[in-house]
Amino acid sequence: MRTTVGARPLPPWVVNDDADAWAHKTFVLQASYARAFVVGAGPQVAEVEVPAPAPAATPGTRPMVKVKVAATFATIGEAIGAASGGDVVAVRPGRYVGFTIGDDSSMRDGAYLGVVALGAPGAVVIDRPLSDPSWMIYIRAGHHVLLDGFAVLGSRDGKGPRGGIMLD
């Protein structure tokens, strides 16, 4: 039985009925983010407050962390292009075109990329596809990504994307 990935030991096999406990024992997340990339219109800020990286947490229970802002972008895709594993893309309230996240070796255990919606639930809406018209958010061969708080809104006329989020 393989117990390592490269030089890193694999987490132990966890079996229980508590999804939150299972996720916290299985995924190796960083405590905070290294840098923040802010998306959307608004005042320039030196730091942004986002939920701490955590899988399967009950909404509203995660601690908030302050992260220094490295840059501000107009689109989510541009910010993702500048970010690396361990960073967070913090999206201000508004309506946005979708985005794609591909394979990136900087994203790994202890260095997840966070893509986080700021504001009240439903304040950040993905309402148009980007690169592949079938999907609003396309994670193409991506890994070690945390998506948090987005409202994904498709068309009701049958002419829009086939789905909201594609994990490929």
Side-chain angles (χ1 to χ4, degrees), residues 4-20:
T4 62
V5 175
R8 294 186 323 261
L10 288 172
W13 185 260
V14 176
V15 177
N16 66 34
D17 293 328
D18 182 340
D20 282 351

Side-chain angles (χ1 to χ4, degrees), residues 54-161:
T58 305
T61 62
R62 287 188 291 165
M64 301 296 281
V65 294
K66 291 184 179 183
V67 184
K68 291 186 185 219
V69 174
T72 301
F73 294 91
T75 71
I76 300 170
E78 290 172 325
I80 289 170
S84 300
D87 293 337
V88 63
V89 173
V91 184
R92 289 180 166 147
R95 296 176 90 82
Y96 295 90
V97 67
F99 54 90
T100 298
I101 299 174
D103 182 29
D104 181 335
S105 63
S106 72
M107 292 184 253
R108 61 189 183 286
D109 282 352
Y112 278 67
L113 172 66
V115 185
V116 177
L118 300 175
V124 179
V125 178
I126 305 298
D127 62 1
R128 300 174 310 282
L130 176 64
S131 57
D132 184 327
S134 296
W135 318 108
M136 304 294 260
I137 298 172
Y138 187 16
I139 301 181
R140 185 179 56 222
H143 49 84
H144 295 86
V145 175
L146 298 169
L147 295 177
D148 191 354
F150 291 92
V152 180
L153 181 64
S155 67
R156 295 182 185 190
D157 61 8
K159 297 178 184 174

